[in-house]
Amino acid sequence: MIVRALLSGVTAVAFGLLYQVSGSTLIISGVIGTISWALAGLIMHFPNAGLLGDFVGAIIVGGMAEVAARLKHEPALVFVVPSIIVFVPGDLVYQSMVAFLKDHFLSGMQSGLTALMAAGALSIGLALATAVLRPMLRGRWGAGKHRV
Amino acid sequence: MKPISSGQSENPVPKVLTVIADAGSALLASGAEVARVEDTMQRLAFAYHLKSVEVIVFPTALFINASGMNTVIRRIKNRGVNLAVVRAINQLSRDVSQNPIAVEELENRLAEARRTARYRPEANLLFAGIGALAISQLMGGRPVDLLPALIGGALTQLVRQWLRHMGVANGVADMLAAAVAVVPAVASAYWGISYPGSILVAGIMVLTPGLLMTTAVRDGIQGDVLSAAARILEALLSAGAIAAGASLTLYMYLALGGRWT
């Protein structure tokens, strides 16, 4: 469990490097990746969790990135993009692909649709975190002094 | 008699406007969201005392106009991911709005920001390899999957970089890179490693359109629905291209009677 969370952090750092991020930003991305995966992993163990883990993970990534962006005066995008990669449902897409190739149409459809819904859960989680946190943070620190 | 239309010669585009447009197009080409591009351009225009500035930004084009000047248009053809450029230009616009500098100096610093902190191409291969390696372990891989995943990630990135460099369209490049990404997984299946799925997933995850999905969401919340729709479409097309490319290799392997468990 802890090892997997740390692996998630390593993934976030590696993809951060791939997207040309550097310095302390990279370390923060790694921490966000680790914490979000650990909490999402806990939720996955609930009975009938379904895609709840992805959803909560995305909320945590979005929320922490928004706070980090405020504190570091950097675009939130820099923190979100590397950390969200581990939640992308690559495994489901792969299962769907193999099922279609083996003529198992129904299970291919099932995995494919689940992957699409997982992507939807991630999007809604990110959107929710950003939409709620951004106005709150803007109000607290320096009341939009950077606005035109 | 005075002509009604004053023509271009009397109304030249000042350098400020073109430099601001360049800053915007560099941001957009590096993967920034629409609201950030508009915000940065407005902030720069405000710092140079331009009056009644209007900015319109789409994922593929941007327009900027100030009162008494011609409109400047930029077409964005090549879009990639370079968060270092987004950070640098964001920082630059903050600095300029606090203490203004001459337009020529802004132009120089912008050119510097566009080249900023890029890692060398060979280093990118290593990063992709390490990312793929970590993902293969997350997807339930075993130690035996480590090396093929590392090779898969690096190989995928190599093919994608090379194709982009050749000027191949993004969708086609993604498809071909995905087709190659599967090769290490297929090879390990051929040499008897069971459940090669985690190696395959690790390879294609390097190509994931994660940035497009994120920016689509952020554009959507801000109300830039046109950009959000365009980026969702681009992400779906990219995912489709990746799945098609990976399926192609896998299909040929299976059709030749290969073993896949």
Side-chain angles (χ1 to χ4, degrees), chain B residues 9-20:
Chain B
S9 55
E10 284 182 27
N11 214 0
V13 176
K15 193 153 191 184
V16 187
L17 219 52
T18 55
V19 172
I20 294 175

Side-chain angles (χ1 to χ4, degrees), chain A residues 4 7 11 14 17-22 25 74-77 80-81 85 88 94 97 123 127 134 146-147, chain B residues 31 33 36 81-84 87 90 94 118-119 124 127 131 134-135 137-138 197 200 205 214 218 222 247 260:
Chain A
R4 295 188 130 222
L7 274 171
T11 311
L17 285 165
L18 191 57
Y19 297 146
Q20 317 294 315
V21 179
S22 57
T25 313
E74 282 192 25
L77 206 65
V80 176
V81 176
I85 293 284
V88 172
Y94 157 74
M97 227 169 68
S123 308
R134 196 187 288 173
H146 298 297
R147 305 298 296 179
Chain B
E33 63 271 48
R36 172 163 307 281
V81 187
N82 188 338
L83 297 178
R87 278 174 77 192
N90 181 55
R94 266 176 202 289
R118 282 173 200 255
Y119 298 107
N124 282 334
F127 302 150
I135 283 179
Q137 296 306 300
L138 272 178
L200 193 150
M205 281 291 260
T214 314
R218 298 179 75 85
Q222 286 283 324
S247 300
W260 191 269

